[in-house]
Amino acid sequence: MNQLLNEIRKKDAKAFTHGGKFHADDVFSAALLLYLNPEIQISRGNQVPEDFDGIVFDIGRGAYDHHQKDSRIRENGVPYAAFGLLWEALGAEILGEELALSFDETFVQPLDNNDNTGEKNELASLIGNFNPAWDAEGGTDEAFFQAVSVAGMILENKFERCRGNERADRRVEEILAEQERAIKAGKIPAENRQILILPEFVPCQKHLSETEIAFVIFPSNRGGYCIQPQKREYSLNYKCSFPPAWLGLENEELEAASGIAGAVFCHKGGFLMTTETLEEAVQAAKISLAEFHEAPVLVNFGGGEEAEALLQKLPGLTGVKIVRMALPELPELNEDGIFTEVAMEKQEWKNRIKAQVKAILKEKPEAVYVEGEVFYTYPVVHALRKKHVPVLTMIKKEERKLLIKIPSGS
């Protein structure tokens, strides 16, 4: 057990942070300390008392403050805030080394970055809204601890979700190994290799994206069985989809369209189907696999024939269909010498970008290749990255032109 954790958990433990307006940084720091010791006494003020004996965070220029000039920055460029500094010291004790690093990347770093740079973050905004109105009378301590209470519930749920996902990954690995043994023993037909039958529901979509599994089947809590298609790795698209004629149907209509006597329901979005029996669920998956012949799609946004020639050579995309989309027309401008601004209102501009992205996503692309001036391409790339759509562009290396995927988080 590390020294900081010993101090947090000792009898009559105390902590101190700044008073006045609070942010997600100090709120989640306090929630983290209370998670580890619900009895710790946290006080706030404008200056750390000289005789204070306890943990000081987000004030005082100490180990768990970040307002000093030489405050620390992560290797990836994200600066630490108090929450990140405390998590660095305590996270492994809560979730273990591997999960603690993942939690830092996905949950802590966005909050640290918001506190240091002001970059928009919805959770940080929600916590900040607990601050009293500018003209409210009285102090902020009561509102601070209300926000800490909410942050504490969020942390507890996030920790349990992290542990649950880890348990799910282990369980899925066990089930995959059991299926492979059953296939080798002839208990499961080899042609059913892309169908995974779960004895109970286990979250597995992300884990199975890296495998050849196209459908999972599991008992429904409403009776019968559920069938879920699995997405390709780094894609919004499924490895295999239900036949279009099934979508949105149920009971007799679905039975007639599918030829499956116990077919119950097929969601119009194509992400779920239910049947009365396991055998019917397997039949639905096998029919879908047999009838699915959809070619992968790439959108070429702004590029020409040279880009398409490279896109045709991408590995793992045999028979790819390339949809070319031209960059949008230049909108009306307000010019002042060499300086120019778009004449349309902010919402009109946002609607324009939204329409462009919607047209791209309508093609259900595996990835989007983008080429052109930043004015045209950046807003679209930014919107696609927020939706986790893979974005490709072209680079030159030693006179060779290469396609490169923009990394996640860019």
Side-chain angles (χ1 to χ4, degrees):
M1 190 178 294
N2 65 41
Q3 183 178 348
L4 176 59
L5 190 56
N6 280 331
E7 190 171 353
I8 293 169
R9 286 180 169 165
K10 73 180 183 182
K11 187 178 180 182
D12 300 325
K14 297 178 182 178
F16 187 92
T17 189
H18 67 82
K21 186 176 181 179
F22 51 84
H23 308 90
D25 175 31
D26 42 309
V27 168
F28 273 98
S29 294
L32 180 62
L33 298 181
L34 286 164
Y35 174 82
L36 294 166
N37 179 7
E39 302 302 320
I40 191 171
Q41 297 298 309
I42 300 175
S43 52
R44 308 173 76 227
N46 296 325
Q47 188 172 347
V48 184
E50 292 184 8
D51 59 347
F52 185 77
D53 180 22
I55 300 154
V56 178
F57 63 93
D58 213 30
I59 192 174
R61 304 298 195 268
Y64 307 111
D65 191 13
H66 64 110
H67 295 99
Q68 51 269 50
K69 286 186 177 180
D70 59 347
S71 60
R72 293 174 53 213
I73 299 175
R74 294 173 175 85
E75 289 184 4
N76 64 359
V78 177
Y80 281 95
F83 185 35
L85 293 167
L86 285 168
W87 182 255
E88 181 185 40
L90 300 167
E93 302 285 351
I94 297 171
L95 294 178
E97 290 286 351
E98 188 174 343
L99 281 181
L101 288 172
S102 175
F103 189 79
D104 178 72
E105 181 180 351
T106 59
F107 187 82
V108 182
Q109 288 188 28
L111 295 178
D112 276 14
N113 203 42
N114 166 267
D115 196 83
N116 280 291
T117 69
E119 181 173 311
K120 187 176 179 181
N121 179 279
E122 290 186 10
L123 179 56
S125 297
L126 183 149
I127 294 297
N129 285 338
F130 278 85
N131 280 285
W134 67 274
D135 55 354
E137 296 182 0
T140 58
D141 284 2
E142 182 179 354
F144 172 80
F145 285 107
Q146 286 178 341
V148 169
S149 177
V150 171
M153 289 188 286
I154 292 172
L155 279 184
E156 287 189 33
N157 289 334
K158 291 291 289 185
F159 292 160
E160 186 50 43
R161 180 62 61 90
C162 286
R163 297 184 186 108
N165 288 342
E166 187 178 45
R167 293 192 301 272
D169 285 347
R170 289 197 300 268
R171 181 69 179 120
V172 172
E173 285 290 349
E174 292 171 358
I175 296 169
L176 283 169
E178 290 169 6
Q179 171 162 299
E180 190 59 32
R181 287 193 292 270
I183 290 173
K184 289 180 179 179
K187 296 179 181 178
I188 294 178
E191 60 266 26
N192 287 10
R193 188 181 293 275
Q194 290 182 276
I195 304 168
L196 183 65
I197 299 172
L198 307 176
E200 70 280 333
F201 170 75
V202 183
C204 58
Q205 184 80 262
K206 184 176 179 180
H207 187 86
L208 292 180
S209 67
E210 304 170 8
T211 71
E212 63 180 323
I213 301 298
F215 288 99
V216 295
I217 297 171
F218 54 89
S220 170
N221 56 15
R222 299 181 180 180
Y225 286 81
C226 294
I227 313 124
Q228 283 187 340
Q230 301 298 295
K231 290 182 179 178
R232 301 187 184 105
E233 190 175 10
Y234 309 120
S235 175
L236 296 177
N237 299 327
Y238 297 119
K239 300 170 190 174
C240 179
S241 300
F242 299 118
W246 298 6
L247 304 183
L249 303 183
E250 57 184 314
N251 300 324
E252 292 84 2
E253 287 185 336
L254 182 57
E255 288 183 356
S258 65
I260 301 171
V264 177
F265 170 75
C266 188
H267 197 281
K268 65 180 181 180
F271 59 81
L272 178 72
M273 181 175 175
T274 59
T275 61
E276 293 179 356
T277 69
L278 176 60
E279 291 74 18
E280 291 156 354
V282 172
Q283 184 184 1
K286 291 176 71 174
I287 292 173
S288 298
L289 285 164
E291 295 187 7
F292 185 75
H293 301 293
E294 187 174 270
V297 174
L298 294 173
V299 168
N300 178 4
F301 184 66
E305 292 181 1
E306 183 181 33
E308 291 189 10
L310 285 178
L311 291 169
Q312 293 283 1
K313 298 177 183 178
L314 280 172
L317 290 177
T318 305
V320 65
K321 175 185 175 183
I322 298 176
V323 178
R324 189 185 296 189
M325 292 189 177
L327 297 176
E329 294 182 1
L330 187 68
E332 183 181 350
L333 302 175
N334 291 328
E335 300 184 32
D336 182 8
I338 64 166
F339 180 70
T340 307
E341 285 187 298
V342 173
M344 61 181 62
E345 296 292 330
K346 180 179 179 180
Q347 190 57 50
E348 189 180 357
W349 171 256
K350 289 174 71 174
N351 290 341
R352 169 187 164 107
I353 303 304
K354 187 176 180 180
Q356 291 168 1
V357 173
K358 184 177 180 180
I360 291 172
L361 295 181
K362 187 177 181 181
E363 300 295 336
K364 297 183 179 180
E366 295 299 313
V368 179
Y369 171 80
V370 176
E371 181 181 318
E373 295 178 1
V374 172
F375 172 78
Y376 297 103
T377 59
Y378 172 76
V380 173
V381 170
H382 181 65
L384 291 172
R385 299 303 297 133
K386 287 178 71 174
K387 294 181 178 294
H388 306 289
V389 177
V391 176
L392 307 174
T393 191
M394 191 185 297
I395 62 170
K396 184 178 286 187
K397 181 183 179 185
E398 299 172 354
E399 302 305 315
R400 295 173 62 215
K401 291 185 176 179
L402 303 172
L403 295 176
I404 188 167
K405 177 185 170 189
I406 298 176
S408 298
S410 300

